Amino acid sequence: MSQILLHRVLPFSKRLMSATILPGESVVDATAGNGNDTFFLAELVGEDGKVFAFDIQQAALEATAGRLGELTSRVNLILDSHADVDRYVNQPIGGAMFNLGYLPYSDDKSIITKPKSTIQAIHKLLGMLKKGGIITISVYDGHDGGKEERDALLAYVKTLHQADVHVIRYELLNQRNNPPFLVALEKVRDFEEVVRVD
Amino acid sequence: MSQILLHRVLPFSKRLMSATILPGESVVDATAGNGNDTFFLAELVGEDGKVFAFDIQQAALEATAGRLGELTSRVNLILDSHADVDRYVNQPIGGAMFNLGYLPYSDDKSIITKPKSTIQAIHKLLGMLKKGGIITISVYDGHDGGKEERDALLAYVKTLHQADVHVIRYELLNQRNNPPFLVALEKVRDFEEVVRVD
């Protein structure tokens, strides 16, 4: 079996994180969900690093804690909106991950990420991000409200200046079962507050 | 200056080629144009490799020959449509590159790649391609006829089975001057003639 180069979205987003996050850094899982990305990030940052993991559902944080096991000591579990990330994180971050949409396997699929808070969170995280750092956003647009969030996100990223941030869209075109597509942002210049180009 | 990870389309397509093409292989530049990709591929395959470079315009092949210099011995310059690639290439190939649209800097921008011949060429090249090999297609859709070719290409790749071929779309979302987007195909299973799923 030869190595696959054109990865599916979730493995590709993890490869981007692996290529940029260094041991000892602080990073953000903006949507802890069932804790898969939190666990992955906790391994990446190592025992001297810190993961700030946000979710608005207690059930998600409990699932994440269960997934983490011994790695719990590297993670701050935060029951609040990622839009308020700046209340909890006061240091530069090495990267951040989002999975938009609803909590997987949840009974209540009406609890979803929303355009306004998603964009607020991304905007704040871009300020905190190190130069060369990446924010990955896996976008699911098949659920109620998904298309509105997708369109708001795509409109937002187009306002970012190419000299500040590189924004890519990456997707598989011939996969079944409506996989997510990826939006990833790389900070290519140092700034504390990104200027939007309208 | 930290390393950029989210590359623009043309450097990203070259990185995919670099990751898969081996010295001594035969490869195809389906649109020789001004010879930039031909030169790049000739370096990649080395002195024991071969590049088959197609263009329908004599001026393009002359520009390519000029660009190649000493590397000309590694390249077959072919004044014919890439849709007839199987008349000239009878061996497995390590990869192929396309740049759709018109010849850069040409006076006659009405001479463009066309949907039918582009798709015929891709389809034949998929059969010749080694397992793990990649075809990159840089898509410009701003010119007359560009949208029709883009839409035909996107419809075609969706007919390829995900067990045979991984197809990605990769693009920068916040770049000026209408840069191309990339469609790349990776052959993940051995076959001589790909079956289309309609």
Side-chain angles (χ1 to χ4, degrees):
Chain A
M1 183 75 192
S2 56
Q3 192 195 353
I4 301 287
L5 277 166
L6 303 182
H7 302 278
R8 294 186 170 86
V9 160
L10 299 182
F12 184 64
S13 66
K14 287 185 174 176
R15 279 173 169 261
L16 292 174
M17 290 289 109
S18 299
T20 49
I21 291 172
L22 300 172
E25 288 187 330
S26 297
V27 301
V28 171
D29 184 347
T31 51
N34 289 315
N36 287 319
D37 288 341
T38 317
F39 182 86
F40 166 75
L41 290 169
E43 286 192 308
L44 265 190
V45 298
E47 56 188 17
D48 295 326
K50 184 60 73 183
V51 183
F52 295 86
F54 290 81
D55 212 291
I56 54 169
Q57 294 188 71
Q58 182 67 30
L61 294 186
E62 285 169 10
T64 298
R67 179 89 175 80
L68 286 169
E70 291 183 354
L71 297 184
T72 303
S73 61
R74 304 178 185 176
V75 180
N76 286 6
L77 297 170
I78 301 162
L79 184 66
D80 199 351
S81 168
H82 43 225
D84 294 322
V85 59
D86 51 334
R87 287 195 202 155
Y88 301 91
V89 185
N90 300 301
Q91 60 255 62
I93 60 164
M97 301 184 83
F98 289 75
N99 271 292
L100 303 187
Y102 51 79
L103 178 64
Y105 313 115
S106 172
D107 293 330
D108 186 353
K109 294 183 170 53
S110 72
I111 305 176
I112 55 174
T113 54
K114 299 282 179 60
K116 188 177 173 189
S117 48
T118 296
I119 289 166
Q120 281 180 330
I122 295 167
H123 203 66
K124 289 177 176 176
L125 287 164
L126 271 178
M128 299 173 185
L129 191 65
K130 68 174 177 182
K131 181 177 164 186
I134 289 181
I135 299 172
T136 64
I137 307 151
S138 296
V139 184
Y140 297 81
D141 58 9
H143 59 282
D144 282 350
K147 287 179 179 55
E148 291 74 14
E149 186 176 36
R150 174 198 69 197
D151 292 343
L153 173 66
L154 294 175
Y156 164 72
V157 298
K158 283 173 186 158
T159 67
L160 301 172
H161 196 291
Q162 62 182 21
D164 291 335
V165 184
H166 280 196
V167 185
I168 64 151
R169 175 176 175 151
Y170 177 95
E171 64 189 309
L172 278 287
L173 293 179
N174 66 332
Q175 303 286 305
R176 298 180 178 189
N177 303 321
N178 298 312
F181 69 86
L182 180 71
V183 172
L185 300 89
E186 180 174 7
K187 185 167 176 172
V188 295
R189 190 179 69 77
D190 265 326
F191 55 81
E192 290 196 356
E193 187 163 1
V194 63
V195 177
R196 294 170 64 170
V197 184
D198 291 312
Chain B
M1 182 72 192
S2 57
Q3 191 195 353
I4 300 286
L5 276 167
L6 302 182
H7 303 278
R8 293 186 171 86
V9 159
L10 300 182
F12 184 64
S13 67
K14 287 184 174 176
R15 279 173 169 260
L16 292 174
M17 290 290 109
S18 298
T20 49
I21 290 171
L22 300 171
E25 288 187 330
S26 296
V27 301
V28 171
D29 184 347
T31 50
N34 290 315
N36 287 319
D37 288 341
T38 317
F39 183 85
F40 167 75
L41 290 169
E43 286 192 309
L44 264 190
V45 298
E47 57 187 15
D48 296 326
K50 184 61 73 183
V51 183
F52 295 88
F54 290 81
D55 212 290
I56 54 170
Q57 295 187 72
Q58 182 68 29
L61 294 185
E62 286 169 9
T64 298
R67 179 90 174 80
L68 285 168
E70 291 184 354
L71 297 184
T72 304
S73 62
R74 304 179 185 175
V75 180
N76 286 7
L77 297 169
I78 301 162
L79 183 65
D80 199 350
S81 168
H82 44 223
D84 292 324
V85 59
D86 51 333
R87 286 195 203 156
Y88 302 90
V89 185
N90 300 300
Q91 60 254 61
I93 60 164
M97 300 184 83
F98 289 76
N99 272 292
L100 303 186
Y102 51 79
L103 179 63
Y105 314 115
S106 172
D107 292 331
D108 185 353
K109 293 184 170 50
S110 72
I111 304 176
I112 54 173
T113 54
K114 299 281 180 59
K116 188 177 172 188
S117 48
T118 296
I119 288 166
Q120 281 180 330
I122 295 168
H123 202 68
K124 289 177 177 176
L125 287 164
L126 271 178
M128 299 173 185
L129 191 64
K130 68 174 177 181
K131 181 178 164 184
I134 289 181
I135 300 171
T136 63
I137 306 150
S138 297
V139 184
Y140 297 81
D141 58 9
H143 59 283
D144 282 349
K147 287 179 179 55
E148 291 73 14
E149 187 176 36
R150 174 197 69 196
D151 292 342
L153 173 66
L154 294 176
Y156 164 70
V157 298
K158 283 173 187 159
T159 68
L160 301 171
H161 196 288
Q162 62 183 22
D164 291 335
V165 184
H166 280 195
V167 186
I168 64 150
R169 174 176 177 152
Y170 177 95
E171 63 190 310
L172 279 285
L173 292 179
N174 66 333
Q175 304 285 306
R176 297 179 178 190
N177 303 320
N178 296 313
F181 69 87
L182 180 70
V183 172
L185 300 89
E186 180 173 7
K187 185 167 176 173
V188 294
R189 191 178 68 77
D190 265 327
F191 54 81
E192 291 197 355
E193 187 164 0
V194 63
V195 178
R196 294 170 64 169
V197 184
D198 291 313

